[in-house]
Amino acid sequence: MTETMVWVDGRLVPSHLATVSALDRGLRSGEGVYETLRVREQRSFRLLAHLDRLEAGAGTLGIRVDPATVRAGIAAVVTSNDHLGDDVVVRVTCTAGPMDLTTPFPGTGVGPPTVVITAQRTRAPGAPPRPPARGRLVDLRRELPMIKSTAYLLSLVAQREARAHGASDAILCDPAGRPLEAATANLAAVVDGRLVTAPVSAGILAGVTRTALCEVAAGCGLVVEERTLEREELLAAREALLTSAVRGVQPLVSIDARAIGDGAAGPVTARLRASLDALIDATAEPLVLSRPADG
Ligand SMILES: Cc1ncc(COP(=O)(O)O)c(C=O)c1O
């Protein structure tokens, strides 16, 4: 069997040998950021936007990441894992690196980061397409929502609660109980011919796919309105959807077991999905930049 390769701090190693320090600050206190991106045939949609968000989030935590090195790592991981197929999910994890035990907690400054890059199958071979999402409103809020942090406990707890109630996705709410985003995706609804999605300032992740969705909305006859939805408004919406780099556009057909629209994937969502897929096909960025031909 072919061994899956993992990038750890600049080196490709077989997955069973991929290790990081027991003193890693990501392990000890969740000091880290990550990105998840989909790579198809060696190209990834808005790769630079993902690298920018990684660098910015890391910077907020005092971690210095070199986007060019990460890009090279992504290319190396994808190329060395042919056996996973040509449609994979790449995860880049970047933490604050090992603690210095000679200085008192919390230590001074942040040393070289730990960078781990993995590629994983998008879905099992022959598996059916992902069904529409069913949401459950969960009264939990992400800390520092603008950072895609490795401190992921809240999202896991929220997802567990959603699944325990027969839903596929937790929908996180603001302090007033208004739906903001899913635990691992952004949320939008079709209301009166408008595409309504919470503004980043409301406390959501600035999703790369959400930005692209807003760009294609006009071509689908929708005006984009960035404002927080009321609970009842989401329930009364004609259609609703989730977006992320891994799922693209996914219809959201119910909330707390109450149907949105007629409880099935709707035509506006289908148009948005087709437009986004076309944009992805046309503009996905190659992992490796081709060099100009020699002299
Ligand atoms: C909380 C949250 N919101 C939104 C998203 C979607 O972001 P993107 O479109 O950049 O994948 C994610 C992705 O993991 C997420 O974790």
Coordinates of all heavy atoms in Angstrom, one line a residue, residues 17-97:
L17 N 5.5 8.6 10.5 CA 6.7 9.2 11.1 C 6.5 10.7 11.3 O 7.5 11.4 11.7 CB 8.0 9.0 10.2 CG 8.4 7.5 10.0 CD1 9.6 7.4 9.0 CD2 8.8 6.9 11.4
A18 N 5.3 11.2 11.0 CA 5.1 12.6 11.1 C 4.9 13.0 12.6 O 3.8 12.7 13.2 CB 3.9 13.0 10.3
T19 N 5.8 13.7 13.2 CA 5.7 14.1 14.6 C 6.0 15.5 14.8 O 6.8 16.1 14.0 CB 6.6 13.2 15.5 OG1 8.0 13.4 15.0 CG2 6.2 11.8 15.5
V20 N 5.5 16.1 15.9 CA 5.9 17.5 16.3 C 6.3 17.4 17.8 O 6.1 16.4 18.5 CB 4.8 18.5 16.1 CG1 4.5 18.7 14.6 CG2 3.6 18.2 16.9
S21 N 6.9 18.5 18.3 CA 7.4 18.5 19.7 C 6.3 18.3 20.7 O 5.2 18.9 20.5 CB 8.1 19.8 19.9 OG 8.3 20.0 21.3
A22 N 6.6 17.6 21.8 CA 5.6 17.4 22.9 C 5.4 18.8 23.6 O 4.5 19.0 24.4 CB 6.1 16.4 23.9
L23 N 6.3 19.7 23.3 CA 6.2 21.1 24.0 C 5.5 22.1 23.1 O 5.5 23.3 23.3 CB 7.6 21.6 24.3 CG 8.4 20.7 25.3 CD1 9.7 21.3 25.6 CD2 7.6 20.4 26.6
D24 N 4.9 21.6 22.0 CA 4.3 22.5 21.0 C 3.2 23.4 21.6 O 2.4 22.9 22.3 CB 3.8 21.8 19.8 CG 3.5 22.7 18.6 OD1 4.5 22.9 17.8 OD2 2.4 23.2 18.6
R25 N 3.3 24.7 21.4 CA 2.3 25.6 22.0 C 0.9 25.4 21.4 O -0.1 25.8 22.0 CB 2.8 27.0 21.9 CG 4.0 27.2 22.8 CD 4.8 28.4 22.4 NE 4.1 29.7 22.7 CZ 4.6 30.8 22.9 NH1 5.9 30.9 23.0 NH2 3.9 31.9 23.1
G26 N 0.9 24.8 20.2 CA -0.4 24.5 19.6 C -1.1 23.4 20.4 O -2.3 23.4 20.7
L27 N -0.3 22.4 20.8 CA -0.8 21.3 21.6 C -1.2 21.8 23.0 O -2.2 21.4 23.6 CB 0.3 20.2 21.7 CG 0.0 19.1 22.7 CD1 -1.1 18.2 22.2 CD2 1.3 18.2 22.8
R28 N -0.3 22.6 23.6 CA -0.5 23.0 25.0 C -1.7 24.0 25.1 O -2.4 23.9 26.1 CB 0.8 23.6 25.6 CG 1.8 22.6 25.7 CD 3.2 23.2 26.1 NE 3.2 23.8 27.4 CZ 3.8 23.4 28.4 NH1 4.6 22.3 28.3 NH2 3.8 24.0 29.6
S29 N -1.8 25.0 24.2 CA -2.8 26.0 24.5 C -3.5 26.4 23.2 O -4.2 27.5 23.2 CB -2.1 27.2 25.1 OG -0.9 27.4 24.5
G30 N -3.4 25.6 22.1 CA -4.2 26.0 21.0 C -3.7 27.2 20.2 O -4.5 27.8 19.5
E31 N -2.4 27.5 20.4 CA -1.9 28.7 19.8 C -1.5 28.3 18.3 O -0.4 27.9 18.1 CB -0.6 29.2 20.4 CG -0.8 30.1 21.6 CD 0.6 30.4 22.2 OE1 1.0 29.6 23.1 OE2 1.2 31.4 21.8
G32 N -2.4 28.5 17.4 CA -2.2 28.2 16.1 C -3.3 28.6 15.1 O -4.4 28.9 15.6
V33 N -3.0 28.5 13.8 CA -4.0 28.8 12.8 C -4.0 27.7 11.8 O -3.0 27.0 11.7 CB -3.8 30.2 12.2 CG1 -4.1 31.3 13.2 CG2 -2.4 30.3 11.6
Y34 N -5.0 27.6 11.0 CA -5.0 26.6 9.9 C -5.8 27.1 8.7 O -6.5 28.1 8.8 CB -5.5 25.3 10.4 CG -7.0 25.2 10.6 CD1 -7.8 24.6 9.6 CD2 -7.7 25.7 11.7 CE1 -9.2 24.5 9.7 CE2 -9.0 25.7 11.8 CZ -9.8 25.1 10.8 OH -11.2 25.0 10.9
E35 N -5.6 26.5 7.6 CA -6.4 26.7 6.4 C -6.8 25.4 5.8 O -6.0 24.4 5.9 CB -5.5 27.5 5.3 CG -5.4 29.0 5.5 CD -6.8 29.7 5.5 OE1 -7.6 29.3 4.7 OE2 -7.0 30.6 6.3
T36 N -7.9 25.3 5.3 CA -8.4 24.1 4.5 C -8.7 24.6 3.1 O -9.5 25.5 2.9 CB -9.6 23.6 5.2 OG1 -9.4 23.4 6.6 CG2 -10.0 22.2 4.6
L37 N -8.1 23.9 2.2 CA -8.4 24.3 0.8 C -8.5 23.1 -0.1 O -8.0 22.0 0.3 CB -7.4 25.3 0.2 CG -5.9 25.2 0.6 CD1 -5.1 24.6 -0.4 CD2 -5.5 26.6 0.9
R38 N -9.3 23.2 -1.1 CA -9.5 22.1 -2.0 C -8.6 22.2 -3.2 O -8.5 23.3 -3.8 CB -11.0 22.1 -2.5 CG -11.4 20.8 -3.1 CD -12.9 20.7 -3.0 NE -13.3 19.5 -3.8 CZ -14.6 19.2 -4.0 NH1 -15.5 19.8 -3.3 NH2 -14.9 18.1 -4.7
V39 N -7.9 21.1 -3.5 CA -7.0 21.2 -4.7 C -7.5 20.1 -5.7 O -7.6 19.0 -5.4 CB -5.6 20.8 -4.2 CG1 -4.7 20.8 -5.5 CG2 -5.1 21.9 -3.3
R40 N -7.8 20.7 -6.9 CA -8.2 19.8 -8.0 C -7.2 19.9 -9.1 O -7.0 21.0 -9.6 CB -9.6 20.1 -8.5 CG -10.7 19.5 -7.7 CD -12.1 19.9 -8.1 NE -12.5 21.1 -7.3 CZ -13.8 21.4 -7.1 NH1 -14.7 20.6 -7.5 NH2 -14.1 22.4 -6.4
E41 N -6.7 18.8 -9.6 CA -5.7 18.8 -10.7 C -4.7 19.8 -10.5 O -4.4 20.6 -11.4 CB -6.5 18.9 -12.0 CG -7.4 17.7 -12.3 CD -8.3 17.9 -13.5 OE1 -8.3 19.0 -14.0 OE2 -9.0 16.9 -13.8
Q42 N -4.1 19.8 -9.3 CA -2.9 20.7 -9.0 C -3.3 22.2 -9.0 O -2.4 23.1 -9.1 CB -1.8 20.5 -10.0 CG -1.3 19.1 -10.1 CD -0.3 18.7 -9.1 OE1 0.4 19.6 -8.6 NE2 -0.1 17.5 -8.8
R43 N -4.6 22.5 -8.9 CA -5.0 24.0 -8.9 C -5.9 24.2 -7.7 O -6.7 23.3 -7.3 CB -5.7 24.4 -10.2 CG -4.8 24.3 -11.4 CD -5.4 25.0 -12.6 NE -6.8 24.6 -12.9 CZ -7.8 25.4 -13.4 NH1 -7.5 26.6 -13.7 NH2 -9.0 24.9 -13.5
S44 N -5.8 25.4 -7.1 CA -6.7 25.7 -6.0 C -7.3 27.0 -6.1 O -6.6 28.0 -6.5 CB -5.9 25.6 -4.7 OG -6.8 25.7 -3.6
F45 N -8.6 27.1 -5.9 CA -9.3 28.4 -6.0 C -8.9 29.4 -4.9 O -8.9 29.0 -3.7 CB -10.8 28.1 -5.9 CG -11.7 29.3 -6.1 CD1 -11.6 30.1 -7.3 CD2 -12.6 29.7 -5.1 CE1 -12.5 31.2 -7.4 CE2 -13.4 30.8 -5.3 CZ -13.4 31.5 -6.4
R46 N -8.5 30.6 -5.3 CA -8.1 31.7 -4.4 C -7.1 31.2 -3.4 O -7.1 31.5 -2.2 CB -9.4 32.2 -3.7 CG -10.5 32.6 -4.6 CD -10.6 34.1 -4.8 NE -11.2 34.5 -6.0 CZ -12.4 35.1 -6.1 NH1 -13.0 35.5 -5.1 NH2 -12.9 35.5 -7.3
L47 N -6.1 30.5 -3.9 CA -5.0 30.0 -3.1 C -4.3 31.2 -2.4 O -4.0 31.1 -1.2 CB -3.9 29.3 -4.0 CG -2.6 28.9 -3.4 CD1 -2.8 27.9 -2.3 CD2 -1.7 28.3 -4.5
L48 N -4.1 32.3 -3.1 CA -3.4 33.4 -2.5 C -4.3 34.0 -1.3 O -3.7 34.5 -0.3 CB -3.1 34.5 -3.5 CG -2.1 34.1 -4.6 CD1 -1.8 35.3 -5.5 CD2 -0.8 33.7 -3.9
A49 N -5.6 34.0 -1.5 CA -6.5 34.5 -0.4 C -6.3 33.6 0.8 O -6.3 34.1 2.0 CB -7.9 34.6 -0.9
H50 N -6.3 32.3 0.6 CA -6.1 31.4 1.8 C -4.7 31.7 2.4 O -4.6 31.7 3.7 CB -6.2 30.0 1.3 CG -7.6 29.5 1.1 ND1 -8.5 29.2 2.1 CD2 -8.3 29.3 0.0 CE1 -9.6 28.8 1.6 NE2 -9.6 28.9 0.3
L51 N -3.7 31.9 1.6 CA -2.4 32.1 2.2 C -2.3 33.4 2.9 O -1.7 33.6 4.0 CB -1.3 32.1 1.1 CG -1.1 30.7 0.4 CD1 -0.1 30.8 -0.7 CD2 -0.6 29.7 1.5
D52 N -3.0 34.4 2.4 CA -3.1 35.8 3.1 C -3.8 35.6 4.4 O -3.3 36.2 5.4 CB -3.9 36.8 2.2 CG -3.1 37.3 1.1 OD1 -1.9 37.0 1.0 OD2 -3.7 38.0 0.2
R53 N -4.9 34.9 4.4 CA -5.6 34.8 5.7 C -4.8 34.0 6.7 O -4.8 34.3 7.9 CB -7.0 34.0 5.5 CG -7.9 34.0 6.7 CD -9.2 33.5 6.4 NE -9.2 32.1 5.9 CZ -10.3 31.5 5.4 NH1 -11.5 32.1 5.4 NH2 -10.2 30.3 5.1
L54 N -4.1 33.0 6.3 CA -3.2 32.2 7.2 C -2.1 33.2 7.8 O -1.9 33.2 9.0 CB -2.5 31.1 6.4 CG -1.6 30.2 7.2 CD1 -2.4 29.2 8.0 CD2 -0.6 29.4 6.3
E55 N -1.5 34.0 6.9 CA -0.4 34.8 7.4 C -1.0 35.9 8.3 O -0.4 36.2 9.4 CB 0.2 35.5 6.1 CG 1.5 36.2 6.5 CD 2.1 36.9 5.3 OE1 1.4 37.1 4.2 OE2 3.3 37.4 5.4
A56 N -2.2 36.4 8.0 CA -2.7 37.5 8.9 C -3.2 36.9 10.2 O -2.9 37.5 11.3 CB -4.0 38.1 8.2
G57 N -3.8 35.7 10.2 CA -4.2 35.1 11.5 C -3.0 34.8 12.3 O -3.0 35.0 13.5
A58 N -2.0 34.2 11.7 CA -0.8 33.9 12.4 C -0.1 35.1 13.0 O 0.3 35.1 14.2 CB 0.2 33.2 11.4
G59 N -0.1 36.2 12.2 CA 0.5 37.4 12.6 C -0.2 38.0 13.9 O 0.4 38.5 14.8
T60 N -1.5 37.8 14.0 CA -2.3 38.2 15.2 C -1.8 37.5 16.4 O -1.8 38.0 17.5 CB -3.8 38.0 15.0 OG1 -4.2 38.5 13.7 CG2 -4.6 38.5 16.1
L61 N -1.3 36.3 16.2 CA -0.9 35.5 17.4 C 0.7 35.6 17.5 O 1.3 34.9 18.3 CB -1.2 34.0 17.2 CG -2.7 33.7 17.0 CD1 -2.9 32.2 16.8 CD2 -3.5 34.1 18.2
G62 N 1.3 36.5 16.7 CA 2.7 36.7 16.8 C 3.5 35.6 16.1 O 4.7 35.4 16.4
I63 N 2.9 34.8 15.3 CA 3.6 33.7 14.6 C 3.9 34.2 13.2 O 3.1 34.7 12.5 CB 2.6 32.5 14.5 CG1 2.1 32.0 15.8 CG2 3.3 31.3 13.7 CD1 1.0 31.0 15.8
R64 N 5.2 33.9 12.8 CA 5.6 34.4 11.4 C 5.6 33.2 10.5 O 6.3 32.2 10.7 CB 7.0 35.0 11.5 CG 6.9 36.4 12.0 CD 7.8 37.3 11.1 NE 9.2 37.0 11.3 CZ 10.0 37.5 12.3 NH1 9.5 38.3 13.2 NH2 11.2 37.1 12.4
V65 N 4.7 33.3 9.4 CA 4.6 32.2 8.4 C 5.1 32.8 7.1 O 4.9 33.9 6.8 CB 3.2 31.8 8.1 CG1 3.1 30.5 7.5 CG2 2.3 31.8 9.4
D66 N 5.9 32.0 6.4 CA 6.3 32.4 5.0 C 5.4 31.8 4.0 O 5.4 30.6 3.7 CB 7.8 32.0 4.8 CG 8.2 32.3 3.4 OD1 7.7 33.2 2.8 OD2 9.1 31.5 2.9
P67 N 4.5 32.6 3.3 CA 3.5 32.1 2.4 C 4.2 31.3 1.2 O 3.6 30.3 0.8 CB 2.8 33.3 1.9 CG 3.1 34.4 2.8 CD 4.4 34.1 3.5
A68 N 5.4 31.7 0.8 CA 6.0 31.0 -0.3 C 6.4 29.6 0.1 O 6.3 28.6 -0.7 CB 7.3 31.8 -0.8
T69 N 6.9 29.5 1.3 CA 7.3 28.1 1.8 C 6.0 27.3 1.9 O 6.0 26.1 1.6 CB 8.0 28.2 3.2 OG1 9.0 29.2 3.1 CG2 8.5 26.9 3.7
V70 N 4.9 27.8 2.5 CA 3.7 27.1 2.6 C 3.2 26.6 1.2 O 2.8 25.5 1.0 CB 2.6 27.9 3.3 CG1 1.3 27.2 3.3 CG2 3.1 28.2 4.8
R71 N 3.3 27.5 0.3 CA 2.8 27.2 -1.1 C 3.7 26.0 -1.6 O 3.1 25.1 -2.2 CB 2.9 28.4 -2.0 CG 2.4 28.2 -3.4 CD 2.5 29.4 -4.2 NE 1.8 29.2 -5.5 CZ 1.1 30.1 -6.1 NH1 1.1 31.4 -5.7 NH2 0.5 29.9 -7.2
A72 N 5.0 26.1 -1.4 CA 5.8 25.0 -1.9 C 5.5 23.7 -1.2 O 5.5 22.6 -1.8 CB 7.3 25.3 -1.7
G73 N 5.2 23.8 0.1 CA 4.8 22.6 0.9 C 3.5 22.0 0.4 O 3.3 20.8 0.3
I74 N 2.5 22.9 0.0 CA 1.2 22.4 -0.5 C 1.5 21.6 -1.8 O 1.0 20.5 -2.0 CB 0.2 23.5 -0.8 CG1 -0.1 24.2 0.6 CG2 -1.0 23.0 -1.5 CD1 -1.0 25.5 0.4
A75 N 2.3 22.2 -2.7 CA 2.6 21.5 -4.0 C 3.3 20.2 -3.7 O 2.9 19.2 -4.4 CB 3.5 22.4 -4.8
A76 N 4.2 20.2 -2.8 CA 5.0 18.9 -2.5 C 4.0 17.8 -2.0 O 4.1 16.7 -2.4 CB 6.1 19.2 -1.5
V77 N 3.2 18.2 -1.1 CA 2.2 17.2 -0.5 C 1.3 16.7 -1.5 O 1.1 15.5 -1.6 CB 1.4 17.9 0.7 CG1 0.2 17.1 1.0 CG2 2.3 18.0 1.9
V78 N 0.8 17.5 -2.4 CA -0.2 17.1 -3.4 C 0.5 16.2 -4.4 O 0.0 15.1 -4.7 CB -0.9 18.3 -4.1 CG1 -1.7 17.8 -5.3 CG2 -1.8 19.0 -3.1
T79 N 1.7 16.6 -4.8 CA 2.4 15.8 -5.8 C 2.8 14.4 -5.3 O 2.8 13.4 -6.0 CB 3.7 16.6 -6.3 OG1 3.3 17.9 -6.6 CG2 4.4 15.9 -7.5
S80 N 3.1 14.4 -4.0 CA 3.7 13.1 -3.5 C 2.5 12.2 -3.0 O 2.8 11.1 -2.5 CB 4.6 13.4 -2.3 OG 3.8 14.0 -1.2
N81 N 1.3 12.6 -3.2 CA 0.2 11.8 -2.7 C -0.8 11.4 -3.8 O -2.0 11.5 -3.7 CB -0.6 12.4 -1.5 CG 0.2 12.3 -0.2 OD1 0.6 11.2 0.2 ND2 0.6 13.5 0.3
D82 N -0.2 11.1 -5.0 CA -1.0 10.7 -6.2 C -2.1 9.7 -5.9 O -3.2 9.7 -6.5 CB -0.1 10.0 -7.2 CG 0.3 11.0 -8.2 OD1 -0.1 12.1 -8.2 OD2 1.1 10.5 -9.1
H83 N -1.8 8.8 -4.9 CA -2.8 7.7 -4.6 C -4.1 8.2 -4.0 O -5.1 7.5 -4.0 CB -2.2 6.7 -3.7 CG -1.8 7.2 -2.3 ND1 -0.8 8.1 -2.1 CD2 -2.4 7.0 -1.1 CE1 -0.8 8.5 -0.8 NE2 -1.7 7.8 -0.2
L84 N -4.1 9.5 -3.6 CA -5.4 10.0 -3.0 C -6.3 10.6 -4.1 O -7.4 11.0 -3.8 CB -5.0 11.2 -2.1 CG -4.2 10.8 -0.8 CD1 -3.9 12.0 0.0 CD2 -4.9 9.7 0.0
G85 N -5.8 10.6 -5.4 CA -6.7 11.0 -6.5 C -6.3 12.5 -6.8 O -5.5 13.1 -6.1
D86 N -7.1 13.1 -7.8 CA -6.7 14.5 -8.2 C -7.7 15.5 -7.6 O -7.8 16.6 -8.1 CB -6.6 14.6 -9.7 CG -7.9 14.2 -10.4 OD1 -8.9 14.0 -9.7 OD2 -7.9 14.1 -11.6
D87 N -8.4 15.1 -6.6 CA -9.3 16.1 -5.9 C -9.2 15.9 -4.4 O -9.7 14.9 -3.8 CB -10.8 15.8 -6.4 CG -11.8 16.8 -5.7 OD1 -11.4 17.6 -4.9 OD2 -13.0 16.6 -6.1
V88 N -8.3 16.7 -3.8 CA -8.0 16.5 -2.4 C -8.3 17.7 -1.5 O -8.3 18.9 -2.0 CB -6.5 16.0 -2.2 CG1 -6.3 14.7 -2.7 CG2 -5.6 17.0 -2.8
V89 N -8.4 17.5 -0.2 CA -8.5 18.6 0.7 C -7.1 18.8 1.4 O -6.6 17.8 1.9 CB -9.6 18.3 1.8 CG1 -9.5 19.4 2.9 CG2 -11.0 18.2 1.2
V90 N -6.6 19.9 1.2 CA -5.3 20.2 1.9 C -5.5 21.0 3.1 O -6.3 22.0 3.1 CB -4.3 21.0 0.9 CG1 -3.1 21.5 1.6 CG2 -3.9 20.1 -0.3
R91 N -4.8 20.6 4.2 CA -4.9 21.4 5.4 C -3.5 21.8 5.8 O -2.6 21.0 5.8 CB -5.5 20.5 6.5 CG -5.2 21.1 7.9 CD -6.2 20.9 8.9 NE -5.7 21.4 10.2 CZ -6.4 21.7 11.2 NH1 -7.7 21.6 11.2 NH2 -5.9 22.1 12.3
V92 N -3.4 23.1 6.0 CA -2.1 23.7 6.5 C -2.3 24.1 8.0 O -3.2 24.9 8.3 CB -1.8 25.0 5.7 CG1 -0.5 25.6 6.2 CG2 -1.7 24.7 4.2
T93 N -1.5 23.5 8.9 CA -1.6 23.9 10.3 C -0.3 24.6 10.7 O 0.7 24.1 10.4 CB -1.8 22.6 11.1 OG1 -2.9 21.8 10.6 CG2 -2.1 22.9 12.6
C94 N -0.5 25.7 11.3 CA 0.7 26.4 11.7 C 0.6 26.9 13.2 O -0.3 27.6 13.5 CB 0.8 27.6 10.8 SG 2.1 28.7 11.1
T95 N 1.5 26.4 14.0 CA 1.4 26.7 15.4 C 2.6 27.5 15.9 O 3.5 27.7 15.1 CB 1.3 25.5 16.3 OG1 2.6 24.9 16.4 CG2 0.3 24.4 15.8
A96 N 2.5 28.0 17.1 CA 3.6 28.9 17.7 C 4.8 28.1 18.0 O 5.8 28.7 18.6 CB 3.0 29.6 18.9
G97 N 4.9 26.8 17.7 CA 6.2 26.1 17.9 C 6.4 25.7 19.4 O 5.5 25.9 20.2

